[in-house]
Amino acid sequence: VNVTARGPNNEAASDVFALNIGLANIGVGGTPNPIPVTHETAAYLADNGDTRVTGGPLAFLAEATAEAHADNFNIGVSLANVVSLDANARIEGPTRAFIGGNARLNAGGVSLTARSLGNVASASMTSVDVGLVNAVDLNPTATTANTVEAFIRGGANVVAGSVSLQADLEADADAEA
């Protein structure tokens, strides 16, 4: 018996273009608040659940993948250009395979697998400035804060020939200015 939860290809993206022309350009822009991808993916036997599987194993599989991208491009033409720009991309949320608290499970074998592979958060910024005085502050931030867990909560009673728990996380965060 297979219990599968999938959250594939969770994505969020923001592309910002700014053109500033004038005698004096002073500003703040970009994406200071994160471009977030938040997900929760779980394959589980609920708290106080009671399940019996006869004749074979029981497999719980939770899989999720996420991408968040924030890209900013700024052009400033002026005598004085003072600009602060932000780009912020963030991935967060749990991927879990678990047996809930006080649950009862009887099966030939039990496997709990949680996978979150290929997660990418990127923030890139480019600024082109033409002027007498230029002060440009670029602040790219890319964060992966997702968790991956396979577990059996306290109080659970699992009777099985074998029990396997596996949790895999692959994430890449890249901020470039």
Side-chain angles (χ1 to χ4, degrees), residues 140-153:
T141 304
T143 306
T144 58
N146 44 331
T147 57
V148 178
E149 303 171 296
F151 59 91
I152 299 172
R153 283 205 172 125

Side-chain angles (χ1 to χ4, degrees), residues 43-45 58-62 97-99 105 110-114 149-152 158 163-167:
Y44 61 95
L45 176 58
L58 176 59
F60 293 87
L61 173 62
F98 66 93
I99 305 300
L105 175 59
V110 175
S111 67
L112 301 166
T113 304
E149 303 171 296
F151 59 91
I152 299 172
V158 177
V163 176
S164 169
L165 291 91
Q166 181 179 342

Side-chain angles (χ1 to χ4, degrees), residues 7 14 17 37 47 63 66 68 71 74 76 82 101 121 131-132 136 158 162:
S14 171
F17 172 78
V37 173
D47 292 348
E63 294 181 311
D71 300 311
N74 178 68
V82 179
L132 214 47
V136 178
V158 177
S162 64

Side-chain angles (χ1 to χ4, degrees), residues 1-73:
V1 175
N2 297 313
V3 177
T4 303
R6 287 195 171 97
N9 305 321
N10 297 289
E11 295 185 38
S14 171
D15 291 314
V16 176
F17 172 78
L19 174 62
N20 303 303
I21 300 174
L23 241 22
N25 293 323
I26 299 174
V28 177
T31 55
N33 294 322
I35 302 302
V37 173
T38 302
H39 66 86
E40 183 170 343
T41 306
Y44 61 95
L45 176 58
D47 292 348
N48 301 306
D50 189 356
T51 300
R52 175 181 292 272
V53 176
T54 58
L58 176 59
F60 293 87
L61 173 62
E63 294 181 311
T65 303
E67 291 190 24
H69 303 281
D71 300 311
N72 290 348
F73 183 71

